[in-house]
Amino acid sequence: MARIVSETLDNGLPLHRIRVDGTRATTILIAFDAGARAERRDENGMAHFLEHVVFKGGEKYEDHRTINRTAEQLGARTNAATSHDLVAFHITVRAEAAPQAIDLVTDFVARPRLDENHLDMERGVVAQEIARYLDQPAYVASRMSALATFGDHPLGRPVLGRVEHLPTFTRAALLSFRQRRWAGCRGGAFIIGNIDHVSDDGEISDLFERFPTLEEPEPYESAPDFLPRTLVERRDTNQSHLRMSYRLDYDVTDAKARAAARICAIILGGSPSSRFNDEIREQRGLCYSISAGIRECADVGVLNLAAGLASANCVEAYTRMREIVAELCAQGPTDEEVARARAVAAGRRVLAFEDTYTVALHTAHQAIVHHGDLDPDALIAELDAVTIDDVHDIASAIDPDKPSVACLGPHDAEEF
């Protein structure tokens, strides 16, 4: 079991220190419930853009060059990520350098300069990032799938946003978004791994109190009712990218149900012996890539299926994938399938949790999105404890006749 010490700072920001034995690394991660889901329609992409521009300089480390060189002198790995649920900043260092790393990351994240000249330059950088992703058919198909599943709702809009929004992301607009969404009570700071060099005399807490005290944000927009759509972008290519999504009917705040949903997805398409991979790829040779996974937001869970395949095989694969989902819904899994999937899920997590950053990001989701147990070992125990009845409960609640469908390739919507 990890050893966890938590406190809430004067600015409302929870600070969690989680000691993980057997590592010489420390990850410091700061996250807020301020991802793309928190954006208004005309702000789409702002959370991601703000994630970029804080790296341009803070009060003490005044520009990107100073930040980068300081991080290199610490031997650090630093980055950030924006999803629909969270914006998260992290730095991972050898344990001895943790205090200096905390000083660095809290400076530019909590006290960014947001210089107008830097904003102008970064708009061009982000525009190139968006263009790069739009050149990737698999990304476009996944973006279409979110729209087919959630429609014109924040969960259906792209995290990267739209190029035409970038000119509106002024310094005043970014400061307003931060003021509205980056409240300590809807975020968290996490020090994970070897914390032998992190003092508990208040000095470290003072660094995290560089974040201002802000009022609690307004609630985000609840997930919409599920109205499955079929979206096809016709392209004259030899390869098609197929996506299917089913709304899951379970309480996403229930850790046991979340674990069972993961096992259900692995049985369908999350491992080499999964039903999709075994039949559609290995026996029928219809595709090279096929998978199933769970998209789990704060108030909704979705089963996402994906396949990349020769266009001539697309409709046959789509038809059989729907049949396999229907079979699992009606008949449930076998004991052997559940046992294998449990081993896969728990084993992958054990290996992933060798990395302190992965532990930190998982913990942030637990604390901020799901309000669950922060101990990483708890997730492994939950996966190990999933029963065949738990998985059957998840599968039997799926409506196999109502997937949302997205496809990019030489097809028409009527084919699906």
Side-chain angles (χ1 to χ4, degrees):
M1 299 286 286
R3 284 161 284 176
I4 303 169
V5 177
S6 301
E7 62 177 310
T8 299
L9 306 179
D10 289 343
N11 58 3
L13 183 70
L15 173 59
H16 307 282
R17 303 166 189 247
I18 302 181
R19 180 183 296 277
V20 179
D21 292 330
T23 180
R24 297 176 62 185
T26 308
T27 291
I28 299 95
L29 185 143
I30 303 159
F32 294 94
D33 176 12
R37 184 170 190 173
E39 298 166 342
R40 296 164 181 165
R41 182 179 286 104
D42 60 353
E43 293 175 335
N44 183 217
M46 185 175 287
H48 171 254
F49 186 71
L50 181 57
E51 171 223 304
H52 271 243
V53 295
V54 301
F55 282 87
K56 296 302 181 182
E59 289 186 13
K60 180 176 179 180
Y61 303 92
E62 296 184 347
D63 55 35
H64 70 278
R65 184 174 290 112
T66 305
I67 291 172
N68 292 337
R69 290 178 177 176
T70 302
E72 289 171 7
Q73 288 165 356
L74 297 176
R77 181 180 68 201
T78 185
N79 210 331
T82 304
S83 66
H84 280 91
D85 295 304
L86 295 178
V87 59
F89 304 86
H90 70 92
I91 184 168
T92 299
V93 292
R94 60 194 301 176
E96 296 86 344
Q100 300 98 308
I102 295 170
D103 178 51
L104 173 63
V105 73
T106 57
D107 178 61
F108 69 81
V109 178
R111 309 183 300 191
R113 296 172 66 85
L114 301 181
D115 183 273
E116 287 284 5
N117 292 329
H118 293 157
L119 300 186
D120 288 339
M121 186 173 298
E122 202 63 22
R123 289 188 191 99
V125 171
V126 174
Q128 294 174 67
E129 181 181 6
I130 294 172
R132 184 189 72 172
Y133 277 102
L134 291 176
D135 277 343
Q136 300 176 23
Y139 169 79
V140 175
S142 295
R143 181 165 164 167
M144 292 167 57
S145 180
L147 182 60
T149 302
F150 293 107
D152 185 25
H153 179 278
L155 292 174
R157 299 173 195 149
V159 171
L160 296 181
R162 301 180 180 278
V163 170
E164 57 267 28
H165 287 178
L166 293 172
T168 69
F169 296 164
T170 62
R171 186 175 193 275
L174 294 172
L175 288 173
S176 176
F177 183 80
R178 275 178 59 97
Q179 184 78 14
R180 198 177 81 237
R181 300 304 316 185
W182 281 37
C185 62
R186 295 284 283 274
F190 307 85
I191 307 173
I192 310 285
N194 185 328
I195 58 175
D196 289 344
H197 300 270
V198 179
S199 68
D200 56 4
D201 58 5
E203 181 180 351
I204 296 300
S205 299
D206 289 345
L207 295 176
F208 288 102
E209 288 181 343
R210 288 169 168 172
F211 287 93
T213 302
L214 300 175
E215 294 183 5
E216 183 173 359
E218 62 191 25
Y220 49 71
E221 186 177 346
S222 298
D225 293 336
F226 187 48
L227 298 172
R229 306 163 180 85
T230 297
L231 300 179
V232 175
E233 181 175 320
R234 186 174 183 84
R235 292 191 184 182
D236 292 329
T237 60
N238 293 325
Q239 292 289 312
S240 295
H241 293 268
L242 174 66
R243 302 289 185 268
M244 299 162 60
S245 297
Y246 295 86
R247 178 70 65 89
L248 298 178
D249 184 20
Y250 67 97
D251 180 2
V252 292
T253 67
D254 182 346
K256 180 179 177 180
R258 293 199 304 271
R262 291 187 178 98
I263 300 302
C264 184
I266 289 173
I267 290 170
L268 278 172
S271 72
S273 67
S274 66
R275 295 189 180 191
F276 286 167
N277 197 72
D278 182 68
E279 179 174 337
I280 295 174
R281 187 188 191 280
E282 299 296 344
Q283 295 186 45
R284 296 183 179 230
L286 294 177
C287 65
Y288 171 74
S289 171
I290 191 164
S291 63
I294 302 296
R295 179 182 177 185
E296 225 159 33
C297 301
D299 59 347
V300 65
V302 175
L303 172 66
N304 286 330
L305 316 180
L309 67 177
S311 299
N313 298 335
C314 188
V315 174
E316 181 183 352
Y318 161 77
T319 302
R320 187 61 190 126
M321 288 167 71
R322 286 193 58 170
E323 290 171 350
I324 290 173
V325 171
E327 290 163 5
L328 182 64
C329 294
Q331 302 165 15
T334 66
D335 286 318
E336 183 184 0
E337 284 180 315
V338 173
R340 284 201 310 268
R342 276 199 312 258
V344 168
R348 286 174 179 172
R349 276 296 171 173
V350 168
L351 297 177
F353 284 165
E354 293 293 307
D355 177 17
T356 56
Y357 165 66
T358 304
V359 177
L361 189 60
H362 164 75
T363 306
H365 275 273
Q366 287 292 98
I368 301 170
V369 180
H370 298 307
H371 310 289
D373 193 330
L374 302 190
D375 188 344
D377 289 335
L379 173 59
I380 297 166
E382 287 154 4
L383 293 168
D384 282 335
V386 171
T387 68
I388 187 171
D389 290 337
D390 296 331
V391 180
H392 194 219
D393 287 345
I394 296 292
S396 63
I398 297 171
D399 187 340
D401 296 324
K402 291 186 177 180
S404 65
V405 180
C407 187
L408 186 150
H411 306 285
D412 297 314
E414 292 75 16
E415 298 179 56
F416 304 98

